[in-house]
Amino acid sequence: MDNNPFSTDWMKGWSDLQQKMWEDWSDVTQNSWAKTWQKETPMNFFREGMKNWPGAGAFGSAPQTPEAMAMQNAMSSMEGFMRMGREVFKVFQNLTESGAASQDWTTQLDRIIQQTKEMFAKSGASPLAAMGNMPNMGNMGNMGDLSAMWSTPMKAWTDMLSSNPMFSNDIMRSMLTGGQSADELMTRFLSMPGLGPNREKQEKFQEGLRLGLEYRKHFEEFQTLMNQSTSRALDLLHRKLLEVGAEGKSLQTLHDLYVLWVDCNEEANAATVSGKEFNEVNARMTNALMRVRKHMGDVVDESLGTMNMPTRRELDSAHKQISLQKKRIQALEDEMQELRSKDSSADINALRDDMEKLGIRRLREEVADLKRQLQESLLADPVEPPGSLAEASTSANKKTVRIGVNKASGAAVGSTQKGD
Amino acid sequence: MFPFAINPEKAVEELARFNKKLTAGIKTFTEVGPIESGVSAKEAVYREDKVTLYHYTPRTESPHRVPVLVVYALVNRPYMADIQEDRSMIRGLLDAGLDVYLIDWGYPDASDRYLDLDDYINGYIKRCADFIRNRHDIYRINVLGICQGGAFSLCFSALHADRVRNLVTMVTPVDFHTPDNLLSLWARGLDVDLLVDTMGNIPGDLLNITFLSMNPYRLTGQKYVDMVDLLDDPVQLKNFLRMEKWIFDSPNQAGEAFRQFIKDFFQKNGLIKGTIKIGERRVDLANITMPVLNVYATKDHLVPPDASKALKQYVGSSDYQELPFNGGHIGLYVSGRSQKEVPPAIANWLKERG
C-alpha cells in the first residue's frame, strides 16, 4: 500500500477491506442470527431477503415481522453510510490530487454540487432511476458511484417504498420502466380497435395499459418534484458548507457530513411536501395508482369467476351481508337489554292512577248493581235461557270484573280474572 | 477555510470503528431475545369480535372509585402507552391511584371490511363503557382518548354524555384544517372512495409509509446509522427495537371506518363544523358538558398543537383545561420527562373532580 493516503492503491486496499468486512459481517448474520431469530422465516435474512422480499409481488407478499423489517431498514442505512464513506473518500482524493483542499476549494465544491445536480436532473428523464436500488431498475449504475453518496439517505426510504406491496407489483414496475420504444409500441397498440370474439378482452387490456400510462405520467410528475427537492437539498448543503468554511469551522467526521446532508434533505423535503403542488401531484399519482390496481383487481376477479372460484366481489358482498346481519342482531340485543333493564314500577303506578281516575269503586258498585238486577230478574222469571245463566251467576261470585286502560286507545277495557 | 477536517486516517478509523461496532453488535442482537411490550399486569375482562377490553391490575390499595377507560387509535397498537417499565403512561396512571381499562382493537381482517364508525363508537366503545359501568355499579366513567382515539372519545362523549364523568383527550385532532397539518393536506386530494373500493381494508404499511414520509431521511436512514452506537448496550438496543416493533406493528384499517374518518374528519373537517353523523345521530361538541382536560404536545408533527387546542372553542363544558407537554407526539408517552409530568397531572385532575 502506498504511503500517500489518497493514492489509488491505498484507496483500493481500503475499499477492499471495507467490502470484506461487510461481507464477513453479512455472512455472520446470515449464518447465525438468521438461524437463532428467524428460524421459521424461510428467507435468506439480510441481503437475499432485501433483494427477494420486494419482488414477492402485490398479491401474495409474505408478512414480515416488525423486527425483521426494522433490521432490513437498518442494514440498508448502514450499508449506505459505509458506501457514502467510500465515495466521500474518492471526492477528497480528487480534491487533493487537484490541490483544491488547500487552494480554491469553493470552486471545486461548486463543481461537485453542479455535477451532482446534473446527475439528478438526468435521472429525472428516467423515472425511479434516482430512487436507488429498486429491483429491476438499473441499480443506479448509470449514475456513477458518486450518486450513491448523495442518495444514501434516500436509499433506505426508497427501499422501504419499493418493498411495499402497493408499489412493488411487477406489471406496474414494467410499465414504469418501459422506456420510449415501449411507449411507442403501447401507443400503437392502444389505437387498435377491438375486433372479433376477443374484442372485450382486448378492450380491457387496452384500458389497463391506458391506466398504466396515466399512472406513469403522474409518477413522473411526482419524481420530478422529488428530484427538484434533492436539487434544493444540494443547494442547501452547498450553502451550509460555505457557511461552515466562512466561520472558520470544519466538519470533523463522516458522520457529521452525513447528518448535515440528512438535515438538508429534510429541510428541502419539508418545503416540497407542504406545498400545494406536491399535494396535487401526490393525490393525482395515488389516485392513478388506485385506478390501475382497481382495474387489475377487476380483471383478476373476472378470471376467477370463469374458473368458478370465489371472487373479491363475492367475498365483499358476503362480508357486507354478515356485517348488516350483525348490526341487526346487535340492535335487537340492545332493545332486549333495554326492555329487561327497564323499571316497570312506574308503568304500574301509572296504571293505578288511571284506574283511580276512572273511579273503579263506583264502577264496581255499578257492576254489583247490575248483577243484583240480573239475579232479581232471573228470580222473577224462572225459565232459564239457553247457555246456563245460572252457572254464570254462580261463577260471578268468584270472579271480579277488572277495569284497565287500553294504552293504545285510551279506552277502558274490562276483563274477568280469578280472585282479586 | 476548507470545511472538512476529515483526513484519511480519521475517515478510515471512523469507518473501521463503525464496522467493528456492527460486527460486535451481532452478539448483542443474538442475546437480545424476544421483544416484549405491554409490561403492566392486565386481564382481559370483555371480548367482542376482535376487540378486547383489558383491566390493568391496580397498583395502589384503594384505587380511585371512578375507573378510566383508555381509548386508543385504530392506527398502531395500544402498547405504546405501556411500552416498557420505565416508559409507561399506564403504569404512571396506576401508580397515581387510578383504576385503568384499555380497549385493544386487535387486527381487523377482511371480515371487518364493513365496520364503520358507528360500530366503533356506538358499538364497541359504548359496550366497553357499559361493561365497566355495570362492573363498578356506577353511572359514569372517566374516558381518556389518545390521538384518533381522542376524536372517537369526543364523539362518544358528545353522543353519550350520560356515561362520561370526565373526559381526557391526548394529542387529539379536533380542527383538521390548521395550516400546519401535513397529514390533512395530503389526505384532502385523495379519492378515498376509490382507495377503499380498491384496497378494501387499508394496509397498515401504507399508513406507515405516510407517517414516515413526513421525515423520510431521518426516520428511515439516519436513525439506523445512529443505532450502531447502541449496539454494545443490550438494554438500549432492546429499547430501540421495542420502539421499532411498535412503529411497524400497524394493523390494517377497516375500510368503511377509514373512508368515513378521512372524508368526514380530514377532508370535511366535520368535527368542528358539527356535520359528522355517527349512526343516526349528529356529533355536536357543544354536548360535551362534562369536565375536559386536553393534553397536547407542543412539538407534535402529526397532530399540531393548534389542531388540538381548537377544542376549547367548540366544547360545551364550563370546566375545560389544557395541559401542554413540551415534546412530540410519541415523546408524550415514552419520554422520561413525560413519565414524571403527565400521568400524575392527569390523575390529580381526575381525582379533583371526584
Side-chain angles (χ1 to χ4, degrees), chain A residues 44 70 201 226-227 258 267-268 311-313 352 369 382:
Chain A
N44 192 353
K201 275 187 186 169
M226 289 294 99
N227 286 346
Y258 174 79
E267 198 176 326
T311 65
R312 181 76 262 163
R313 207 176 296 122
R352 282 185 178 145
D369 281 348

Side-chain angles (χ1 to χ4, degrees), chain A residues 84-297:
Chain A
M84 172 184 164
R86 193 174 69 226
E87 300 312 324
V88 168
F89 211 97
K90 283 183 186 174
V91 172
F92 287 159
Q93 184 185 30
N94 291 337
L95 286 172
T96 305
E97 282 170 0
S98 65
S102 55
Q103 296 165 17
D104 187 12
W105 64 269
T106 54
T107 313
Q108 293 294 326
L109 186 64
D110 289 350
R111 188 179 56 79
I112 291 168
I113 296 285
Q114 196 50 44
Q115 278 178 354
T116 315
K117 281 171 79 170
E118 282 167 13
M119 192 172 60
F120 275 100
K122 274 182 203 164
S123 73
S126 171
L128 293 181
M131 292 185 74
N133 282 333
M134 289 181 86
N136 309 327
M137 293 215 183
N139 208 15
M140 299 182 76
N142 59 333
M143 296 169 72
D145 286 343
L146 190 60
S147 63
M149 168 189 157
W150 300 113
S151 65
T152 290
M154 273 180 273
K155 188 178 177 303
W157 173 231
T158 52
D159 279 353
M160 188 175 290
L161 274 180
S162 68
S163 69
N164 187 285
M166 269 187 63
F167 302 99
S168 63
N169 185 273
D170 284 343
I171 296 170
M172 283 161 56
R173 197 173 292 143
S174 64
M175 282 175 177
L176 290 169
T177 53
Q180 199 179 348
S181 57
D183 280 1
E184 283 168 11
L185 273 174
M186 265 199 250
T187 312
R188 259 188 272 166
F189 175 71
L190 287 173
S191 63
M192 283 168 61
L195 284 171
N198 286 329
R199 183 181 58 81
E200 275 188 34
K201 275 187 186 169
Q202 183 190 326
E203 283 176 0
K204 276 202 178 114
F205 188 59
Q206 284 173 320
E207 175 63 8
L209 286 177
R210 235 188 307 275
L211 292 169
L213 285 175
E214 192 186 315
Y215 170 55
R216 177 185 169 143
K217 188 180 83 181
H218 295 308
F219 187 90
E220 281 175 1
E221 287 175 6
F222 179 84
Q223 184 57 40
T224 303
L225 266 187
M226 289 294 99
N227 286 346
Q228 286 168 0
S229 175
T230 307
S231 181
R232 273 197 295 275
L234 281 165
D235 287 337
L236 272 171
L237 181 72
H238 188 189
R239 200 187 75 208
K240 287 185 181 185
L241 286 174
L242 290 175
E243 283 170 6
V244 168
E247 290 168 8
K249 294 176 186 169
S250 56
L251 300 174
Q252 299 295 315
T253 61
L254 292 172
H255 187 260
D256 288 348
L257 176 61
Y258 174 79
V259 171
L260 183 67
W261 176 225
V262 169
D263 288 347
C264 293
N265 270 291
E266 286 293 0
E267 198 176 326
N269 183 66
T272 302
V273 301
S274 57
K276 192 181 170 202
E277 188 184 5
F278 175 85
N279 293 320
E280 288 172 357
V281 167
N282 186 44
R284 276 202 296 270
M285 181 188 71
T286 310
N287 294 340
L289 175 63
M290 285 304 114
R291 279 191 284 275
V292 174
R293 289 195 64 94
K294 179 85 170 54
H295 182 80
M296 287 164 67

Side-chain angles (χ1 to χ4, degrees), chain A residues 37 67, chain B residues 28-37 39 83-84 227 230-246:
Chain A
W37 201 4
E67 294 88 344
Chain B
T28 322
F29 264 115
T30 55
E31 288 168 354
V32 157
I35 310 293
E36 65 287 325
S37 45
V39 291
I83 200 154
Q84 63 189 60
M227 186 190 82
L230 307 176
L231 286 178
D232 51 3
D233 183 339
V235 176
Q236 281 204 61
L237 179 63
K238 199 162 187 171
N239 291 347
F240 178 90
L241 289 174
R242 199 175 281 118
M243 273 309 289
E244 281 299 289
K245 179 182 174 178
W246 176 77

